[in-house]
Amino acid sequence: MIISEAKPLAELQEVLAPFGRLFLVGCAACATACKAGGEEEVFRFQEWMAGQGKETTGSVIIDEACHIQRAARDLRHHAQAVAAADALVVLACGSGVQSISSNTDKRVIGALNSLFLGNVRRFGQYEEMCSLCGDCILNETAGICPVTNCAKGLLNGPCGGMKAGRCEIDGELDCAWRLIFERLQRQQRPGVFARRVPPKAWSRRRKPGRHKIR
Amino acid sequence: MSQLSQNLAAGEFVVTAEVAPPKGIDLAPVLATAEKLQGVTAVNVTDNQGANMRLCALVLAGELRRRGIEPVLQLTCRDRNRVALQSDLLGAAALGIENVLLLSGDHSKFGDHPDARPVFDLDAVQLLDVVAGLNRGVDMAGKPLAGTPRFFPGAAVNPAAEPFELVLQKVRKKVDGGARFFQTQAVFTRVELERLAAAVAPLNVPVLAGVLLVRSAKMARFLNSSIPGMCVPDEVVARLEQAADPLLEGVAIARETVGWARTFCQGVHLMTLGHDETIPEILR
């Protein structure tokens, strides 16, 4: 899922300063799961805004805020409350914010920072394991992604900063290449060490991404 | 053919040193330092060392070369994509620079621009392949070059890193990719150097042992805590701590490492960090 977290309140205070009446949008999918933009957080945000002397004209938790048509429908259902607001505040990932902004010319304020595509270790603990690079090498790397788990995204082995099997940028972090190496050893196969992996085709990740199922 | 490649091919014990481009635009002090270096075959020019922004290494390497001092241009993958790396390499070749040391580079987080986006479009193994291609007269796109460079490419290895078998996997890839020499990160123990030399011997690529002048226990602790891949053992820290003259002790430690290198390696790469006057004593 997409991991997001609340922006600092001071930042939101500043960006919301010109507006007195606001419509709130949350997301029932990822932002709810990581407790950044669900029912509870939207309610708390409303309370906080009231404390700032601002009025909430209404709110909605969209089933998946990244769904553009669904967002459009939900905004239509709340057309009056939306129309009464000076701006919309969206407690969802950047994708969700843009589903909303692509459906209205009103000012749309994102209240979260989107962090990464995260795996859930346990509740409240998320780990980035995939960078959506478009050119997957996992089959050669024993199911551990070096593009994501190596701080430098190296494709041919560890850098010179590996110390006792840990990463140079954080001594608590296992070197991804050590993990790959050890699992390949347990699987008794050379995997990615059998060849010099050529440079990645970053063209596969040309922005903005578009995908159409035929 | 670069002097470095000739001396290594002839089996001589080779000494290289290292200078860093300035933070600023005055090259005079570093050029004066480089001109005073004695008994050194080539001088490495570091590339935004430790991810700290400094004057372009290519320019300093070119100026050294103009003064008859042979450079080893260090090139990291941290700050340039494949287009910029190839472009800089062609620029280096045009200035007559042949020795290049191809590195991944310390992560941007360690430097003075920690918010910079680290590039790492290529890794060091891939960059070695690129240099091999340029030496054949083609770029990464397979397009022919007008004029063919004659790079003598080298790579780095950290002899202290564990697990060592994993380090070796990458060393092998680097040799397959065309590394013609290795310069190691700083070595402090005889066993590490002996282990590396034994492992690399079948690959027939000369190794220059990295010798770092550690001037005090305080500096040793800083290296251990703040410099990637650096591991100054406790015994060495203790020696520096107890020494009446830590600089003198640091020189003695460096001289011992040079001694091991004379046994196991084809040379040394000296990192004296502004105390180049100690080089004759370290090599004595």
Side-chain angles (χ1 to χ4, degrees), chain B residues 46-190:
Chain B
T46 55
D47 176 13
N48 295 308
Q49 188 172 12
N52 292 299
M53 191 285 294
R54 285 165 171 263
L55 179 140
C56 168
L58 178 53
V59 168
L60 176 54
E63 285 297 316
L64 289 178
R65 155 103 190 147
R66 234 158 52 89
R67 285 164 171 75
I69 302 166
E70 186 168 300
V72 178
L73 176 67
Q74 298 192 179
L75 202 58
T76 76
C77 299
R78 179 191 57 236
D79 306 318
R80 306 172 190 81
N81 71 3
R82 63 191 77 182
V83 176
L85 285 166
Q86 291 180 95
S87 173
D88 279 7
L89 281 162
L90 293 186
L95 294 176
I97 296 163
E98 295 184 4
N99 308 317
V100 283
L101 184 73
L102 308 169
L103 307 162
S104 302
D106 298 334
H107 196 276
S108 310
K109 121 172 193 158
F110 293 100
D112 56 5
H113 291 63
D115 286 333
R117 182 173 189 158
V119 181
F120 300 113
D121 182 30
L122 304 182
D123 64 26
V125 171
Q126 293 160 347
L127 188 53
L128 280 158
D129 276 325
V130 170
V131 167
L134 297 178
N135 276 349
R136 290 192 305 270
V138 286
D139 70 7
M140 282 180 78
K143 297 219 168 114
L145 305 173
T148 303
R150 298 187 305 178
F151 288 118
F152 183 60
V157 55
N158 185 357
E162 299 288 350
F164 186 63
E165 184 49 41
L166 171 55
V167 173
L168 278 186
Q169 295 278 357
K170 188 145 185 188
V171 164
R172 289 188 198 107
K173 285 198 187 196
K174 285 178 171 178
V175 173
D176 290 344
R180 305 275 301 278
F181 67 97
F182 281 99
Q183 287 176 322
T184 80
Q185 280 165 278
V187 191
F188 292 98
T189 73
R190 183 189 164 103

Side-chain angles (χ1 to χ4, degrees), chain A residues 96-146:
Chain A
V97 172
Q98 292 179 73
S99 281
I100 305 302
S101 66
S102 64
N103 278 307
T104 174
D105 281 333
K106 272 194 186 280
R107 285 284 300 273
V108 173
I109 314 293
L112 308 183
N113 284 322
S114 315
L115 302 179
F116 52 86
L117 171 61
N119 289 46
V120 184
R121 172 67 62 188
R122 58 180 69 89
F123 180 73
Q125 190 179 337
Y126 308 105
E127 294 170 17
E128 185 180 21
M129 293 186 168
C130 171
S131 315
L132 307 175
C133 75
D135 192 12
C136 189
I137 192 181
L138 280 171
N139 295 339
E140 281 178 78
T141 55
I144 298 166
C145 172

Side-chain angles (χ1 to χ4, degrees), chain A residues 80-92:
Chain A
Q80 246 180 335
V82 170
D86 304 325
L88 289 75
V89 180
V90 182
L91 285 75

